[in-house]
Amino acid sequence: MRKINFWAWFWVILGGLYFFLPLYGTLDFSLREQRGVLSLLAYQNVLNDPRFRDSFTYSALMAVATIVVGMLLIVPTAYWVHLRLPQARPIVEFITLMPFVVPAVVLVFGFIRIYSGPPLALTDTAATANMLLMFGYIVISLPYTYRSVDTGLRAIDVRTLTEAAQSLGAGWFTILFRIIFPNLRVALLSGAFLTFAIVIGEFTLSNLLARPAFGPYMVLLGQDRAYEPAALSIMSFALTWAAIGLIQLLGRGAPEQRQLGGVH
Amino acid sequence: MAEATQLPPRATTSSRGSYFGGLLAWLGVLPFFLFAILFLVWPSSSLIVGSFQDTAGNWTLKNIADLFTPSIVNSYVLSIQISAVTAIGGALFGFLLAYAAILGGLPRWVRTALMTLCGVASNFAGVPLAFAFIATLGRTGFLTAFLVDVFGINVYQMGFNLYNFWGLALTYMYFQFPLMVLIMAPALDGLKREWREASENMGANAWQYWRYVALPILLPSLLGATILLFGNAFGAYATAYALTGGFLTLITIVIGQQIAGNVLYNPNLGYALALGMIVIMVISIALYTWLQGRTARWLR
């Protein structure tokens, strides 16, 4: 038994080192902008950069729009499939897995082929290009949000809730927004935090659609600064940690739900 | 009031039999299907169609044939190599880690902590991940400097370079092995204690238990997870772009360059590049699904 324990500790510690060393290295590096002393100068520079504020605000708003529109699209669909259209389940599930097969760079290539010229020139104006980016984000977060909502729906008795609401005279709108959405809040919040973590630093779509998002800003900064990118990296990590931490906090007591992978 | 009490049962039950009601039920998923067609199916199928056309719109197989020019083949090979190396490396390390944390007799908190860390790490990718590795293992990075100061070892003089193949592989590993841990944990949980006891009762030693009982049960999920890691790395663009600035010509980088400015001088060849990626991803996901089906039999 002692031997097994030794190797178990060995691998776990090695894994821990792989996890923490780059973080520690980045943190250390980000504090060394001023020669000889540890300082928060790199963080101050980043936070005082108007381009940081603009691009971060842009991406945060994008994340909120993605979450709201995505949920309005996914929750009624998943609900309807559970309640009335079980025969549509294979097709819907197939669609939600398609983003795994179509990498982001390929997806955006398709967007540009279709939507950068007539008849649907969505990339021509800022508003429609933002809309295109938002729908792209909904697509890449689809596998995670759909699974999250689907697990949530399995955990509640959709049929009984619906019939109870109907017998009290509720219409579909009331059922969806006052019964189903509130009952799914844990699943919805998990999906929302994960979407936020995916969208906030996303680079592929936003860069290739030429949108002023946070990801392209980070790459731009990385090309001419040394310490500020490390500071940004630490801040992004803190955001990821917060998002995933909240998901795990929410998931306590609920049926075990794992989030697999993000967008690289 | 009478109406309200009459309507509800009909709304949930009557549609089953009637053709019209069934058709009406499909209306409920119409917005989702519209969205999927507009922003997923149509864009990707337009690339597939485009790769069989020339610039004038005539049908041709020339783009597919042109995929086999050396520079493009090299890009695919490079992408496949980096995905395979990080998938196999990540799978081995991730499996050992998951095994150690779950069946290694460690305290319970180790497992909880590891799962949380892996949840974070598998989502920490793209540009910030590249920056973290530059700050740590770049030429002036923390660990590079630390190794010089303390041990007098300069890894860059020893041939290490963060901005080449192995540097990128090391960076990808940061999100690969945690994903493996997350996928393998339930499979390892599913290994029943009775199976081990039963094999021990029949006189099997530890090696025999692994060779003839545990491994055959775990093999489909091991292989399936490795394929998932492969796909995970194969589609990656942001990490490689931010780390190497497009210097390593992975297939995703080439497609990105083609989008930013027509570097191949033939947009339809670009579509064929995308088609090649989709084909490889479809094959891996199909394999994964098939292996999932084989695992499900045991891990109930």
Side-chain angles (χ1 to χ4, degrees):
Chain A
M1 212 48 201
R2 283 198 67 85
K3 187 165 156 264
I4 292 171
N5 251 326
F6 168 78
W7 283 110
W9 280 116
F10 174 83
W11 291 113
V12 166
I13 288 168
L14 203 64
L17 279 178
Y18 210 117
F19 182 78
F20 282 113
L21 259 183
L23 289 181
Y24 181 77
T26 312
L27 183 66
D28 184 90
F29 195 81
S30 72
L31 298 175
R32 293 191 184 274
E33 172 131 30
Q34 272 177 316
R35 199 166 279 277
V37 280
L38 295 180
S39 73
L40 290 171
L41 187 61
Y43 293 85
Q44 282 166 358
N45 287 345
V46 164
L47 292 173
N48 287 328
D49 185 352
R51 289 177 307 167
F52 166 79
R53 269 172 284 171
D54 291 347
S55 63
F56 191 83
T57 315
Y58 177 87
S59 283
L61 288 175
M62 223 38 182
V64 172
T66 305
I67 291 164
V68 171
V69 178
M71 289 304 180
L72 284 178
L73 209 53
I74 291 165
V75 176
T77 307
Y79 166 72
W80 201 245
V81 167
H82 262 262
L83 189 68
R84 293 281 293 276
L85 265 184
Q87 65 268 40
R89 176 181 291 279
I91 313 174
V92 172
E93 279 186 353
F94 177 77
I95 291 172
T96 62
L97 289 177
M98 261 184 77
F100 282 140
V101 177
V102 183
V105 70
V106 171
L107 184 73
V108 74
F109 203 5
F111 277 11
I112 287 169
R113 174 158 155 84
I114 290 181
Y115 297 117
S116 71
L120 288 163
L122 295 184
T123 52
D124 282 6
T125 68
T128 48
N130 290 341
M131 199 189 79
L132 189 60
L133 182 61
M134 181 195 73
F135 278 112
Y137 283 160
I138 296 178
V139 168
I140 56 176
S141 55
L142 190 60
Y144 313 105
T145 22
Y146 184 82
R147 203 180 327 168
S148 171
V149 169
D150 193 54
T151 319
L153 280 171
R154 277 173 211 273
I156 59 175
D157 191 343
V158 176
R159 185 166 296 274
T160 308
L161 282 176
T162 306
E163 283 171 0
Q166 281 179 328
S167 68
L168 291 169
W172 288 115
F173 188 84
T174 314
I175 295 176
L176 262 178
F177 287 92
R178 299 193 52 190
I179 313 282
I180 300 301
F181 271 89
N183 268 297
L184 285 178
R185 60 182 176 276
V186 169
L188 293 182
L189 282 171
S190 307
F193 287 131
L194 192 73
T195 308
F196 189 85
I198 291 174
V199 170
I200 196 73
E202 199 280 337
F203 174 72
T204 312
L205 290 180
S206 49
N207 184 49
L208 293 170
L209 287 173
R211 301 317 302 147
F214 188 47
Y217 164 74
M218 284 197 281
V219 169
L220 212 64
L221 197 73
Q223 278 160 3
D224 47 38
R225 303 307 292 258
Y227 299 94
E228 283 79 2
L232 278 177
S233 180
I234 292 295
M235 287 153 78
S236 301
F237 182 78
L239 272 177
T240 311
W241 187 274
I244 304 298
L246 282 169
I247 291 172
Q248 300 208 334
L249 208 67
L250 285 167
R252 263 189 210 163
E256 191 171 340
Q257 192 180 327
R258 285 164 303 113
Q259 298 298 348
L260 302 180
V263 174
H264 319 300
Chain B
M1 205 52 218
E3 232 180 45
T5 43
Q6 266 178 2
L7 271 173
R10 242 179 58 200
T12 47
T13 52
S14 75
S15 66
R16 276 291 161 81
S18 85
Y19 177 75
F20 183 69
L23 214 63
L24 219 63
W26 282 93
L27 274 181
V29 289
L30 193 67
F32 179 79
F33 277 92
L34 206 63
F35 150 79
I37 289 169
L38 277 178
F39 297 104
L40 185 55
V41 179
W42 189 25
S44 19
S45 46
S46 92
L47 294 181
I48 299 174
V49 172
S51 47
F52 293 102
Q53 288 176 327
D54 62 18
T55 35
N58 305 311
W59 297 105
T60 176
L61 285 173
K62 188 172 181 304
N63 302 313
I64 309 296
D66 284 350
L67 282 182
F68 293 93
T69 49
S71 70
I72 293 177
V73 171
N74 281 344
S75 292
Y76 275 113
V77 169
L78 192 64
S79 272
I80 290 172
Q81 277 173 338
I82 193 108
S83 312
V85 164
T86 60
I88 293 168
L92 283 176
F93 186 39
F95 176 74
L96 286 168
L97 202 55
Y99 181 77
I102 291 169
L103 300 172
L106 299 184
R108 177 84 191 168
W109 64 264
V110 173
R111 180 200 167 140
T112 318
L114 184 73
M115 296 307 274
T116 309
L117 295 186
C118 287
V120 175
S122 66
N123 281 293
F124 185 64
V127 184
L129 176 67
F131 286 168
F133 270 79
I134 292 171
T136 308
L137 278 168
R139 278 178 206 281
T140 56
F142 164 79
L143 195 61
T144 318
F146 178 83
L147 289 174
V148 172
D149 292 346
V150 178
F151 299 106
I153 302 171
N154 187 335
V155 286
Y156 275 83
Q157 277 171 9
M158 292 168 68
F160 174 80
N161 186 348
L162 183 64
Y163 309 102
N164 69 13
F165 183 89
W166 290 105
L168 186 64
L170 206 62
T171 312
Y172 276 14
M173 284 288 281
Y174 196 85
F175 58 73
Q176 291 283 58
F177 81 82
L179 184 57
M180 184 70 183
V181 173
L182 292 180
I183 304 172
M184 285 313 292
L188 285 168
D189 277 333
L191 279 184
K192 294 195 175 61
R193 181 187 292 270
E194 294 90 319
W195 296 339
R196 169 152 232 156
E197 286 165 358
S199 57
E200 274 167 7
N201 282 344
M202 291 194 280
N205 59 29
W207 187 85
Q208 284 167 322
Y209 163 71
W210 269 101
R211 170 65 188 79
Y212 297 105
V213 181
L215 203 58
I217 290 170
L218 286 177
L219 200 60
S221 40
L222 265 170
L223 291 177
T226 312
I227 291 167
L228 214 60
L229 297 194
F230 177 90
N232 199 28
F234 191 70
Y237 170 77
T239 315
Y241 183 90
L243 190 72
T244 69
F247 178 68
L248 271 183
T249 52
L250 299 173
I251 194 65
T252 45
I253 299 282
V254 177
I255 292 179
Q257 287 168 344
Q258 172 70 11
I259 297 173
N262 185 3
V263 291
L264 299 170
Y265 305 107
N266 176 5
N268 294 79
L269 178 55
Y271 305 148
L273 289 183
L275 172 69
M277 279 200 79
I278 295 178
V279 167
I280 292 175
M281 293 301 273
V282 166
I283 294 173
S284 13
I285 294 293
L287 266 174
Y288 171 72
T289 318
W290 180 69
L291 286 164
Q292 269 314 89
R294 293 185 58 100
T295 325
R297 276 190 309 188
W298 290 101
L299 302 174
R300 260 177 255 217

